[in-house]
Amino acid sequence: MQLYGENIGSRLLLGTSLYPSPAILTSAIEASRTEIVTMSLRREAAGGKAGQDFWTMIRTLGLKILPNTAGCHSVKEAVTTAQMARELFGTKWIKLEVIGEADTLQPDVFGLVEAARILCADGFDVFPYTTEDLVVAEKLLAAGCKVLMPWGAPIGTGRGLNNVYGLRSLRAHFKDVPLIVDAGIGLPSHAAAAMELGFDAILLNTAVAKAGDPVAMARAFALGIEAGRTAFLADPMEPRDMAAPSTPVLGKAQLA
């Protein structure tokens, strides 16, 4: 998988919040075999000591950092947060969130496109958290994004893929664009289903962090994503309306 020109071996991107302890987070990251973790700017404080131990721990794991603009509700707030993250984390990668609705945390797609245009022009590699809307996707790509991150369901709900038709349409329309399902994944089977549709990767946090055993769940997601990707590449059979016998009827004994 290539993301903004960089080769990435793992198709699981993992968030770093809500874990019971730093030790469990470290073990879950290792079990997931991820190469990319997301971090909120709010975990750090530029010029101060807050969050430095956490940042040091993440750096020792040798992972690619994808800062995010979580909690931003306006274009100005998201752009400013992204610029601060670039300075603090030393990367031009940014997961862009512009939240428009408090209960569902649905993206404000109008603000998202505007913020993406500003950040792309400023040299950022933008990973926009968006809906499965085809028109919004077109506008994000026109703004300069080379990766799209549609939600499966609202953040933290664990509902899986709420709109399979919409996600399948998105994949069909943008065959050459890396598509990462972000948000709402609750089970490894949800992740496998998304990969079977042809999506390139999964980004999740809560499903692992809030599991009874985060380390075991991280390992399960790694296996589910691998299974889904392998199934997609194997060209699975199409569903049928009628039964089709798997045992040949030709040559079957005829009883008088």
Side-chain angles (χ1 to χ4, degrees):
M1 179 174 64
Q2 277 207 343
L3 302 176
Y4 286 103
E6 296 200 30
N7 293 321
I8 306 297
S10 172
R11 294 179 181 271
L12 172 58
L13 290 68
L14 199 62
T16 55
S17 64
L18 303 176
Y19 286 84
S21 71
I24 292 176
L25 168 60
T26 299
S27 296
I29 288 173
E30 292 172 348
S32 73
R33 303 196 299 270
T34 186
E35 297 177 18
I36 301 172
V37 294
T38 65
M39 291 183 63
S40 170
L41 185 66
R42 287 163 175 76
R43 303 298 289 272
E44 296 290 331
K49 296 293 184 181
Q52 290 302 313
D53 289 343
F54 182 83
W55 178 215
T56 299
M57 180 193 74
I58 293 297
R59 282 188 296 184
T60 61
L61 297 174
L63 303 169
K64 184 77 176 176
I65 305 298
L66 177 59
N68 64 44
T69 62
C72 292
H73 291 260
S74 70
V75 173
K76 182 177 181 181
E77 186 181 12
V79 169
T80 301
T81 301
Q83 292 168 339
M84 293 172 63
R86 178 170 59 184
E87 179 179 347
L88 184 61
F89 295 112
T91 178
K92 60 182 180 178
W93 279 21
I94 191 73
K95 178 191 170 187
L96 179 61
E97 297 183 28
V98 182
I99 302 301
E101 206 280 320
D103 289 333
T104 63
L105 300 179
Q106 179 169 327
D108 170 4
V109 294
F110 305 102
L112 181 67
V113 171
E114 182 180 352
R117 185 177 294 110
I118 293 169
L119 292 173
C120 287
D122 193 25
F124 282 88
D125 294 335
V126 178
F127 294 69
Y129 164 62
T130 183
T131 65
E132 67 277 19
D133 189 286
L134 296 176
V135 177
V136 175
E138 287 279 12
K139 292 186 180 298
L140 287 169
L141 294 173
C145 298
K146 296 181 181 179
V147 175
L148 298 175
M149 302 181 72
W151 65 348
I155 293 172
T157 61
R159 296 181 60 85
L161 307 182
N162 271 358
N163 184 0
V164 174
Y165 172 80
L167 291 170
R168 183 181 288 115
S169 297
L170 194 69
R171 178 72 284 177
H173 276 75
F174 304 106
K175 295 180 179 179
D176 299 323
V177 177
L179 299 179
I180 301 171
V181 173
D182 175 20
I185 299 297
L187 293 169
S189 57
H190 299 159
M195 299 303 291
E196 288 169 5
L197 291 176
F199 282 81
D200 296 280
I202 305 294
L203 193 160
L204 55 88
N205 187 155
T206 310
V208 170
K210 302 299 287 184
D213 185 340
V215 178
M217 187 61 76
R219 186 178 304 111
F221 268 106
L223 294 171
I225 289 170
E226 181 181 353
R229 178 64 180 178
T230 302
F232 170 73
L233 295 176
D235 190 17
M237 63 173 285
E238 292 292 331
R240 296 171 55 95
D241 291 328
M242 300 293 291
S246 57
T247 302
V249 296
L250 193 65
K252 180 181 178 181
Q254 300 294 320
L255 301 177

